[in-house]
Amino acid sequence: MTILITAGPTREAIDPVRFISNKSSGKMGYAIAQSAAEQGHRVILVSGPTDLDVPDRVDFIPVESSVEMFAAVEHQIAKVDIAIFTAAVADYRPASVPDQKIKKSGETMTLELVRNPDILGSARNQFSYQGVLVGFAAETENLEKNAREKLERKGCDLIVANDVSRKDIGFDANDNEVLLVFPDHTDHPHKDSKQHLAHLILEEAITLTSVSNPN
Ligand code: C5P
């Protein structure tokens, strides 16, 4: 099978030397990419900047901004059976980016931000993607309810939800504890290493391909 994975943070330029980003390490997406490649699947990994080594036998497409990630996904998604979007894409980017470094002037400074494209939300509507679609949800409250709303709104087959208010799991941690939110039920696997959870999420996604395409 061919599997597209987005991973890592995005960087939204403020000027040539500054950017807005977030604490995503990319570990979860890279672990899924590695697991899938080890099983012999073709893996396309579209990733924002991380400190991680690219897993062996993965087609790697490095990107910086969410607009670049959107374009890479748009280009690749038609040929894949499974799309797993683990990237922590910035919701907003600076409205304009000057060519030169911004000089400090007054005591305050206002940065105008505009909405970024919703890559996961574009898969069904804009890219007409018909394969298995897995999204992630990082929430600090009402985890299952928010994840289920996201599942429906974005046309996903599975949302992997994690509680980012906890320090021992989620962003940059090696372990994770997630809810697997499907259209008709929710699973709650035990807290585990990102490697083991990556394997589990991949297995669930592969099972979903036979449900959505029984032949
Ligand atoms: O709506 P929210 O950002 O919480 O959704 C998270 C999910 O959507 C993740 O799977 C993330 O990779 C994806 N996403 C995206 N493009 C965005 C924002 C989020 O693909 N602009």
Side-chain angles (χ1 to χ4, degrees):
M1 265 187 265
T2 303
I3 304 176
L4 172 66
I5 298 167
T6 70
T10 60
R11 281 184 184 173
E12 309 300 331
I14 297 172
D15 70 15
V17 295
R18 304 186 179 101
F19 54 80
I20 298 171
S21 193
N22 60 63
K23 289 174 18 180
S24 169
S25 65
K27 283 177 187 160
M28 197 71 225
Y30 278 56
I32 297 172
Q34 180 167 358
S35 186
E38 282 169 0
Q39 287 183 27
H41 298 291
R42 178 168 179 235
V43 178
I44 304 165
L45 176 61
V46 176
S47 177
T50 77
D51 292 336
L52 304 173
D53 292 331
V54 178
D56 288 341
R57 288 183 289 106
V58 159
D59 290 335
F60 185 62
I61 304 178
V63 297
E64 295 246 332
S65 66
S66 59
V67 169
E68 283 173 27
M69 186 173 281
F70 182 93
V73 168
E74 183 175 31
H75 194 67
Q76 300 294 332
I77 198 164
K79 51 188 156 190
V80 311
D81 306 290
I82 297 173
I84 304 178
F85 288 6
T86 73
V89 184
D91 291 326
Y92 295 89
R93 68 178 180 279
S96 62
V97 184
D99 291 338
Q100 306 298 325
K101 186 180 165 198
I102 299 170
K103 296 270 184 212
K104 61 176 154 309
S105 49
E107 284 308 307
T108 63
M109 174 186 160
T110 305
L111 199 57
E112 191 188 358
L113 303 176
V114 294
R115 272 296 273 273
N116 271 329
D118 180 354
I119 308 170
L120 177 63
S122 302
R124 298 290 188 214
N125 301 336
Q126 205 173 324
F127 308 151
S128 303
Y129 173 64
Q130 310 224 312
V132 167
L133 185 61
V134 180
F136 275 62
E139 305 286 349
T140 54
E141 57 184 357
N142 301 327
L143 186 59
E144 185 171 0
K145 178 171 174 286
N146 287 337
R148 187 159 297 287
E149 281 171 12
K150 198 165 292 177
L151 178 96
E152 285 162 14
R153 200 169 58 242
K154 304 197 178 188
C156 295
D157 300 296
L158 166 62
I159 288 277
V160 180
N162 55 122
D163 179 349
V164 287
S165 67
R166 284 174 54 179
K167 284 275 172 281
D168 57 326
I169 57 170
F171 277 135
D172 208 27
N174 289 320
D175 286 346
N176 212 350
E177 184 173 347
V178 296
L179 291 182
L180 301 182
V181 180
F182 297 89
D184 56 357
H185 71 286
T186 299
D187 284 351
H188 192 169
H190 293 296
K191 179 175 167 180
D192 209 335
S193 68
K194 287 187 176 171
Q195 266 69 28
H196 283 140
L197 284 172
H199 187 77
L200 176 69
I201 292 161
L202 183 64
E203 290 310 304
E204 295 288 356
I206 291 169
T207 304
L208 285 166
T209 60
S210 53
V211 175
S212 62
N213 182 14
N215 301 313

